Amino acid sequence: MRGRIGHRARAAPVLTTDQALSYAPCVADPAAHAASAAGGPGLDRTSFVPLYYQLQEVLKEQIESGVWRAGEALPSEPELARRFGISRVVVRQALAILADDRQIVRVKGRGTFVAPPKLDARAGGLSRLLVTPRPPDATIEALDVRVAHVEDSIRRELGAEPDQDVLRVTTCLSLREVPLSISYSFFRRAEAAWLEAAVRPGGELPRDLVLAGHGVELAHARVTVETSQCGQFEADRFGIPHRSAVFLAVCTEYRRDREGTRPFEVARAEYRGDLLRFRLEVSASRPEDMHAIWELTDPALAAPAS
């Protein structure tokens, strides 16, 4: 869904499912890795969704859940065909989709490998960007870190008690030194002490700082996107005129725990309207899965770094 620039238009909230929305933590248990790689969900031959598309969805989910890690070789075409009971033509079609999406890299004479992590394009908070290490051309700069007095509405959404400290982290996401978004993220301080210790105002977040290293696994998220106008602070950081059009994403990120899921982060993120557009993406095999995706409109910036 693309918002119209130049007026304020509110969109209905998007509620994502528990399915992983981004690259998830690498699997630490080799035995679990082997089991997941050898098995996994089968293909539904009664579905209207083509088998090749189902297969690429399965492989994509395995990559994003850490079954296959960056740089690791996927099974060969004959092996995938044997495992899923399909032809090699179907396998090639599925791999072609993943290659076009830069999820995998196919090297002639060597095989197919999981591509390095790419910049997560799903609208969300800071924690969504910390699921995996950032690619070399993406940086997250910390603009401000402090214990903040917050509105009651944020406390309620975060599940923070009145006497609990709330940590506010302001960050700027840039791609090849071009700022794309500014996020104001709120966490229960006791739950994000590791983040407070790692972030220094004016510095970049360590590229290898990831949620998995601190026992955090994201589940679903609730995101609302609307068009708005940027304030002077954001305009100065973006290098655009005051009150330029921006996309405003308000989101709550949930994490998994033993009881199920609970709020982990409440965030307000402003995305540049002159460089980005938004759309809704629905999974063909799981129609209930819907994601708010931002994408670059500048061809030069969108092109892969050489």
Side-chain angles (χ1 to χ4, degrees):
M1 175 179 293
R2 300 176 183 175
R4 292 179 57 192
I5 302 300
H7 74 291
R8 190 175 182 84
R10 184 175 299 275
V14 174
L15 179 61
T16 67
T17 69
D18 285 354
Q19 183 184 11
L21 299 186
S22 178
Y23 287 89
C26 293
V27 178
D29 183 357
H33 175 279
S36 297
L43 306 183
D44 183 3
R45 285 168 170 75
T46 66
S47 172
F48 69 91
V49 179
L51 290 176
Y52 71 85
Y53 198 90
Q54 292 186 50
L55 177 59
Q56 71 86 25
E57 288 271 285
V58 170
L59 295 176
K60 180 179 179 179
E61 183 174 344
Q62 289 182 345
I63 292 172
E64 294 182 347
S65 65
V67 172
W68 306 108
R69 309 176 189 181
E72 189 171 0
L74 289 180
S76 66
E77 288 184 7
E79 177 61 19
L80 286 173
R82 184 191 66 79
R83 290 186 187 182
F84 290 92
I86 54 180
S87 70
R88 291 182 63 177
V89 173
V90 173
V91 173
R92 291 193 195 102
Q93 290 175 308
L95 295 180
I97 295 175
L98 294 175
D100 288 343
D101 195 38
R102 301 202 299 275
Q103 293 268 15
I104 62 172
V105 177
R106 310 185 74 179
V107 182
K108 188 174 182 179
R110 293 186 54 200
T112 302
F113 302 85
V114 178
K118 61 181 180 180
L119 184 62
D120 191 346
R122 292 173 175 87
L126 171 61
S127 57
R128 187 60 56 184
L129 295 171
L130 299 182
V131 175
T132 60
R134 267 61 64 204
D137 53 356
T139 58
I140 304 174
E141 180 186 2
L143 305 180
D144 187 50
V145 182
R146 67 179 63 196
V147 176
H149 173 75
V150 299
E151 302 171 2
D152 290 341
S153 60
I154 293 179
R155 282 190 175 276
R156 287 194 300 270
E157 187 71 9
L158 193 56
E161 299 295 334
D163 59 345
Q164 287 184 309
D165 286 340
V166 173
L167 181 70
R168 186 184 72 187
V169 182
T170 306
T171 54
C172 179
L173 170 67
S174 297
L175 180 63
R176 300 172 204 154
E177 301 184 353
V178 177
L180 300 179
S181 69
I182 293 177
S183 298
Y184 302 87
S185 301
F186 299 88
F187 306 86
R188 287 183 294 275
R189 188 184 189 188
E191 195 171 21
W194 56 271
L195 181 60
E196 184 178 11
V199 175
R200 294 289 179 270
E204 294 181 10
L205 272 66
R207 207 169 290 278
D208 58 353
L209 180 68
V210 293
L211 300 181
H214 302 277
V216 178
E217 180 186 359
L218 294 185
H220 60 277
R222 186 170 62 247
V223 183
T224 301
V225 180
E226 61 185 77
T227 56
S228 186
Q229 296 176 334
C230 67
Q232 190 63 59
F233 173 73
E234 292 82 7
D236 290 343
R237 298 297 306 189
F238 289 151
I240 59 178
H242 180 216
R243 296 186 177 178
S244 293
V246 295
F247 290 104
L248 174 63
V250 180
C251 63
T252 302
E253 299 281 0
Y254 290 78
R255 65 174 294 180
R256 300 185 192 279
D257 62 17
R258 294 179 180 177
E259 288 71 38
T261 64
R262 56 190 170 88
F264 177 63
E265 174 191 7
V266 174
R268 175 182 179 273
E270 291 193 11
Y271 296 87
R272 291 179 60 167
D274 61 328
L275 294 179
L276 304 172
R277 62 189 172 200
F278 273 80
R279 59 185 170 85
L280 294 182
E281 184 175 280
V282 181
S283 170
S285 60
R286 293 173 56 92
E288 69 274 19
D289 291 353
M290 183 178 294
H291 314 303
I293 308 292
W294 58 261
E295 57 189 11
L296 294 161
T297 57
D298 185 327
L301 191 58
S306 57

